[in-house]
Amino acid sequence: MVGCYSSAPCHRRLILLTEATTASSFNEKTVKYETENYDKSLLSSKMIHSLFLVNSSGDIFLEKHWKSVVSRSVCDYFFEAQERASEPENVPPVIPTPHHYLINVLRHRIYFVAVIQSEVPPLFVIEFLHRVVDTFQQDYFGVCTEAAIKDNVVVVYELLEEMLDNGFPLATESNILKELIKPPTILRTMVNTITGSTNVGEQLPTGQLSVVPWRRTGVKYTNNEAYFDVVEEIDAIIDKSGSTITAEIQGVIDACVKLTGMPDLTLSFMNPRLLDDVSFHPCVRFKRWEAERILSFIPPDGNFRLLSYHVSSQNLVAIPVYVKHNITFREGSSQGRFDLTLGPKQTMGKAVESVLVSSQLPRGVLNANLNPSQGTYTFDPVTKLLTWDVGKINPQKLPNLKGTMSLQAGASKPDENPTINIQFKIQQMAISGLKVNRLDMYGEKYKPFKGIKYMTKAGKFQVRT
């Protein structure tokens, strides 16, 4: 099947990646600039030479090479960088070696390490690696774990063969891949085992040569519906006095579109100027967005990410929860006090749910004797990690965690107070204030069911004490 695409020129393959990536990639202007200005001499060599999958234990459990084999010893440079990193996610994404570049991403406790032999734009490789993970998780296996990859290793190799042609990304769209390689099922696996056949389809995808390669032809549904989820993640650092040091919002609009035929959709916002640093799915007509701030697109069939955006102005970022804290340690005392209260703030009456508080207490703390007004708490005396599962915040009776901490006898007062990390969710609210105005459909005569849902959740939300 790979041979069917071998005639495609290299520069076309490079563009195909940008046409078939999710909204987490860079915008269309950046794509065109990087593609057109990319040194043509580099296109004669491979973009990605080899791929290694490394688990949390540091074992390489899968490797894939294109044309020639790269020794596993090249990953020694990655392992050295991993040892120097304080946290697993702090491993540098680009690691230079004498003869290669190692570009990696960490997803689901698995490092996806690509080996590059010549200089290429790192974002191309990083975006492709994320797309590989999303394909495994969302379109084929339901999860992207070491066990799932090992159980479906044949399908994994088939997918990598189709997604990367001679080291360049080619078919990365979900609809195209599902027509090329059928998702594994128990029945299909049994038939393949008995007959010796594979999951590779016998025909080329119908959308591969279309002007809209992300959508297959002949789509039919009994119930036509389109759902859009506006999900915003707030990252913030709050200082001891409750003032905001930094705050920003990372937002996405995920879609589930099941519409018959070839519908043309337009999505407009009440306040589109809020959106900054926007990245689109390739289906979005970028020129119309620039001119009118309206999303116009022919959607892929099924689930996809329509766009991602960033709100960085602190004047526009509302902090949805507040924390009152009193964590003290006395010099020469074997006890410390812990008092923590949470409350909602600027939530427009929406409930703050799924609240989880965690704090890394100082090494000198032996135990914690605390009394929660709601929820449950745990303290690990080995890792010194305090976790409080609050649940839903009741504004009439704010959750409180209060008590004492036992310290080592004769130990000096801790140099720093612990930081507090908070996780939460707020349904039916976009913290940035973004609202969808209307969704219209053209090109088809039926009336679909349309739904919009909002959600705000915490990203890296930290309170310093």
Side-chain angles (χ1 to χ4, degrees), residues 195-209:
T195 62
S197 57
T198 68
N199 290 359
V200 179
E202 296 181 356
Q203 296 180 344
L204 284 175
T206 55
Q208 180 76 358
L209 303 178

Side-chain angles (χ1 to χ4, degrees), residues 112-169:
F112 290 74
V113 183
V115 180
I116 314 299
Q117 285 193 324
S118 59
E119 290 189 15
V120 298
L123 285 179
F124 277 106
V125 182
I126 290 173
E127 176 61 24
F128 174 76
L129 294 178
H130 281 297
R131 186 69 191 102
V132 169
V133 179
D134 292 339
T135 299
F136 290 169
Q137 180 180 2
Q138 299 173 10
D139 302 329
Y140 279 84
F141 311 137
V143 294
C144 184
T145 62
E146 181 180 355
I149 292 173
K150 286 182 176 179
D151 291 343
N152 299 278
V153 67
V154 174
V155 178
V156 168
Y157 277 109
E158 290 171 347
L159 284 170
L160 292 176
E161 282 288 351
E162 298 298 342
M163 295 181 75
L164 212 64
D165 180 18
N166 198 36
F168 286 92

Side-chain angles (χ1 to χ4, degrees), residues 378-393:
T378 58
F379 174 71
D380 190 331
V382 178
T383 61
K384 313 300 181 185
L385 181 65
L386 172 67
T387 304
W388 179 23
D389 189 352
V390 180
K392 183 178 179 180
I393 295 180

